[in-house]
Amino acid sequence: MLELRNVSFEVNDDQGQKEIIKNLNLTIDDEKFVVITGPNGGGKSTLAKLIAGIQKPTSGEIYFNGTNITDMSITERANAGISFAFQQPVRFKGIQVIDLLRIASGKELSINEACSYLSEVGLCARDYIEREVNGSLSGGELKRIEIATVLARGTKLSVFDEPEAGIDLWSFQNLIKVFERMRETINGSILIISHQERILNIADEIVVLANGQISKQGPKDEILPSLLGTASAVNDCNMLQKGVN
């Protein structure tokens, strides 16, 4: 279980101190698929980075499975069981997909084991297992390979920051299928930052974040209709997108 207790995060800009996350309290229960949505600039990606350890709260505490992880590094949190997937997956020149999967799993995966993870995300393993994780791969391919590394890690909490960003419609449709399979098979919680209605629609719970604070939180069947029901609600949620660019 993930718990954020009175978490705040401030930055310095041209106008002085700016509070991005404001005294936020949030609990993510075990084995839940949770989507955090809301208007641009509301603090969603910052919240994801606070959970992953990329940024540190100005105040407040973060607990994971009862342990205070507030001061833990990214590596320490990864070892504790938290995975993080960036909006734009990192490219690694000279590293093959098989190498990346082995690093993620922490063991010497066999070719068959590595191929099974690629198959889980809809990639033909023989076409990708020896490919370099570089510019020759499309955004959609990189997203799915990154998800395969998350599966290989088998962590208790997987965090995805706007996984739909920068991919085409075909790749997005396949990404939805991957998340649907993860929802059914992964032994842990999934937390996704997203505006996409199709991703919201497969969530167990939805959290709406605006101006650094939670404005709504609850089961999908309770929250999603309120987001889609009126023009103003949709506007507040940054005009929830029906597709991708």
Side-chain angles (χ1 to χ4, degrees):
M1 182 169 68
L2 177 73
E3 295 179 86
L4 282 74
R5 303 178 184 176
N6 302 313
V7 168
S8 295
F9 179 73
E10 297 178 352
V11 295
N12 286 312
D13 61 15
D14 294 338
Q15 299 177 345
Q17 289 288 107
K18 182 179 180 180
E19 198 171 29
I20 308 298
I21 300 294
K22 305 173 183 177
N23 199 38
L24 184 144
N25 291 279
L26 175 65
T27 298
I28 305 296
D29 291 326
D30 292 337
E31 298 187 15
K32 291 290 185 180
F33 191 120
V34 179
V35 178
I36 297 178
T37 193
N40 287 335
K44 301 183 301 298
S45 290
T46 297
L47 179 58
K49 291 173 182 176
L50 289 171
I51 292 169
I54 296 170
Q55 293 174 326
K56 184 178 177 181
T58 306
S59 62
E61 297 178 320
I62 302 175
Y63 287 80
F64 184 57
N65 292 336
T67 299
N68 189 334
I69 65 170
T70 310
D71 295 322
M72 284 188 180
S73 67
I74 300 172
T75 301
E76 288 171 328
R77 294 189 197 200
N79 290 334
I82 298 176
S83 294
F84 181 78
F86 293 88
Q87 281 189 32
Q88 299 298 328
V90 180
R91 299 175 189 270
F92 300 94
K93 186 176 181 180
I95 295 181
Q96 294 181 332
V97 172
I98 179 65
D99 300 321
L100 198 61
L101 289 168
R102 284 170 174 166
I103 291 169
S105 69
K107 61 183 181 180
E108 190 68 15
L109 289 177
S110 69
I111 294 294
N112 286 340
E113 288 173 324
C115 287
S116 70
Y117 290 120
L118 292 175
S119 296
E120 279 290 313
V121 297
L123 294 177
C124 180
R126 66 175 178 271
D127 293 337
Y128 288 91
I129 199 70
E130 294 182 350
R131 291 276 298 274
E132 281 193 20
V133 188
N134 58 20
S136 68
L137 295 168
S138 70
E141 289 170 329
L142 282 169
K143 293 278 187 181
R144 284 190 276 174
I145 289 168
E146 187 175 44
I147 293 172
T149 65
V150 171
L151 293 174
R153 289 203 65 219
T155 51
K156 290 296 183 181
L157 175 64
S158 303
V159 182
F160 297 87
D161 187 10
E162 297 196 26
E164 69 273 14
I167 63 173
D168 57 53
L169 181 58
W170 184 87
S171 295
F172 176 69
Q173 291 170 337
N174 281 276
L175 190 66
I176 293 296
K177 294 177 183 178
V178 170
F179 283 132
E180 287 175 334
R181 287 196 294 271
M182 282 187 70
R183 187 179 186 277
E184 298 299 325
T185 61
I186 196 168
N187 183 28
S189 298
I190 301 169
L191 178 62
I192 299 181
I193 308 297
S194 181
H195 290 298
Q196 291 292 335
E197 182 183 342
R198 287 186 63 186
I199 292 179
L200 290 165
N201 202 47
I202 58 175
D204 295 316
E205 297 178 7
I206 294 174
V207 177
V208 182
L209 189 67
N211 298 316
Q213 297 178 311
I214 294 173
S215 61
K216 296 180 182 180
Q217 179 179 2
K220 175 200 68 179
D221 292 341
E222 175 185 318
I223 301 298
L224 188 55
S226 71
L227 294 178
L228 302 176
T230 66
S232 62
V234 174
N235 223 20
D236 288 342
C237 203
N238 200 39
M239 297 298 291
L240 288 170
Q241 301 171 20
K242 302 282 187 180
V244 294
N245 296 327

